[in-house]
């Protein structure tokens, strides 16, 4: 949901793709795969232009991986999380969105000390662990392998040879730098898929001002 805020990764992609295609945000703050699986048919169907969809990202795990004892509302067991991701991929394929147009994104890593401060401020205990989030990230990667989709392993990439804390605003959610990192990584996967898309309508200098209908219709 926050991907379309200022400097968000969704907004960044939309800017890159202006006049080529629309970037539609159907992210829902706080949701997990158990809930997303139920509402996906409402969000994407054959009648909502599945055939003209060039790419779909599925980005879950940060909420599913919440610790069951401390956050039972959002927690989804690991095996169910994987099954839910597979179910969503299978649904998309059933409405003719092929696996080569689907990109799974793992949850980012969790910076425990920063997120613990957020939890304590609300009177709660630390309700997530980075190692646990990593298990869900691995499951996401495995689902992508099993289903033949692309995958962006954000959890691993953000921790590779660097301190990842600056990628997160509060230990859990992406910072401006984290959004930029995700946008860049995602674009490297989307560029090949979207490079062939033509621009919608001619550049204004190319319009025949004496007879615009010849250029525009």
């Amino acid at each position: 949901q926050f991907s379309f805020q200022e400097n968000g990764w969704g907004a960044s992609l939309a800017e890159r793709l202006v006049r080529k295609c629309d970037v539609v945000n159907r992210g829902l703050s706080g949701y997990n795969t158990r809930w997303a699986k139920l509402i996906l048919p409402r969000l994407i169907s054959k009648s909502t232009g599945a055939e003209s969809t060039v790419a779909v990202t599925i980005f879950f795990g940060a909420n599913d991986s919440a610790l069951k004892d401390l956050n039972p509302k959002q927690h989804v067991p690991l095996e169910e999380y994987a099954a839910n991701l597979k179910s969503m991929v299978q649904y998309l394929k059933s409405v003719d969105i092929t696996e080569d147009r689907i990109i799974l994104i793992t949850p980012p890593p969790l910076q425990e000390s920063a997120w613990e401060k957020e939890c304590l401020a609300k009177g709660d205990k630390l309700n997530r662990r980075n190692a646990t989030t990593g298990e869900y990230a691995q499951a996401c990667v495995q689902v992508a392998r099993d289903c033949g989709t692309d995958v962006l392993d954000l959890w691993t990439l953000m921790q590779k040879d660097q301190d990842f804390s600056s990628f997160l605003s509060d230990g859990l959610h992406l910072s401006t730098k984290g959004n930029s990192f995700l946008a860049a990584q995602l674009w490297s996967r989307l560029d090949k898929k979207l490079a062939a898309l033509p621009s919608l309508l001619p550049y204004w200098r190319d319009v025949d001002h004496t007879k615009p209908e010849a250029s525009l219709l």
Side-chain angles (χ1 to χ4, degrees):
Q1 182 174 323
F2 301 134
S3 71
F4 267 46
Q5 65 188 2
E6 188 176 3
N7 301 314
W9 63 271
S12 175
L13 291 177
E15 184 178 12
R16 278 180 182 254
L17 291 167
V18 70
R19 290 181 64 172
K20 288 210 165 190
C21 67
D22 296 324
V23 178
V24 181
N25 179 7
R26 292 293 180 264
L28 295 157
S29 177
Y31 274 51
N32 57 31
T33 57
R34 183 182 290 165
W35 304 347
K37 181 181 74 169
L38 296 175
I39 63 169
L40 183 58
R42 195 189 312 174
L43 304 180
I44 300 176
S45 67
K46 284 185 180 180
S47 64
T48 53
E51 67 178 35
S52 62
T53 299
V54 291
V56 175
T57 60
I58 301 176
F59 186 12
F60 286 96
N63 295 320
D64 297 68
S65 62
L67 303 178
K68 182 180 180 180
D69 293 345
L70 295 170
N71 190 347
K73 183 163 187 173
Q74 291 178 301
H75 169 80
V76 172
L78 185 61
E79 289 185 6
E80 184 190 340
Y81 166 74
N84 290 341
L85 287 179
K86 283 185 180 179
S87 177
M88 285 190 272
V89 171
Q90 288 163 356
Y91 170 75
L92 291 174
K93 289 169 71 174
S94 79
V95 295
D96 300 330
I97 297 176
T98 49
E99 58 265 32
D100 60 306
R101 289 184 279 164
I102 302 169
I103 303 173
L104 301 188
I105 307 175
T106 76
L110 179 79
Q111 216 286 318
E112 292 182 11
S113 59
W115 183 243
E116 186 171 27
K117 288 180 183 176
E118 296 289 320
C119 293
L120 291 173
K122 297 173 184 175
D124 300 325
K125 295 179 181 178
L126 178 65
N127 57 20
R128 289 165 169 81
R129 292 284 183 188
N130 191 38
T132 304
T133 304
E135 293 174 2
Y136 284 70
Q138 289 172 0
C140 180
V141 170
Q142 188 59 50
V143 168
R145 287 194 191 121
D146 293 344
C147 295
T149 71
D150 203 347
V151 64
L152 172 50
D153 186 358
L154 206 55
W155 190 85
T156 298
L157 288 169
M158 281 189 165
Q159 295 182 88
K160 192 175 182 180
D161 305 322
Q162 59 198 330
D163 174 16
F164 67 88
S165 59
S166 62
F167 289 132
L168 305 166
S169 62
D170 55 7
L172 175 66
H173 300 97
L174 297 175
S175 63
T176 296
K177 184 178 177 182
N179 273 283
S180 296
F181 183 86
L182 172 51
Q185 292 290 331
L186 199 51
W187 184 251
S188 70
R189 288 156 172 78
L190 288 170
D191 195 16
K192 294 174 187 175
K193 302 177 193 292
L194 307 182
L197 286 177
S199 288
L200 300 172
L201 298 172
Y203 180 54
W204 73 271
R205 290 188 185 276
D206 297 329
V207 176
D208 181 352
H209 69 283
T210 64
K211 194 177 180 183
E213 60 270 19
S215 304
L216 303 176
L217 297 179

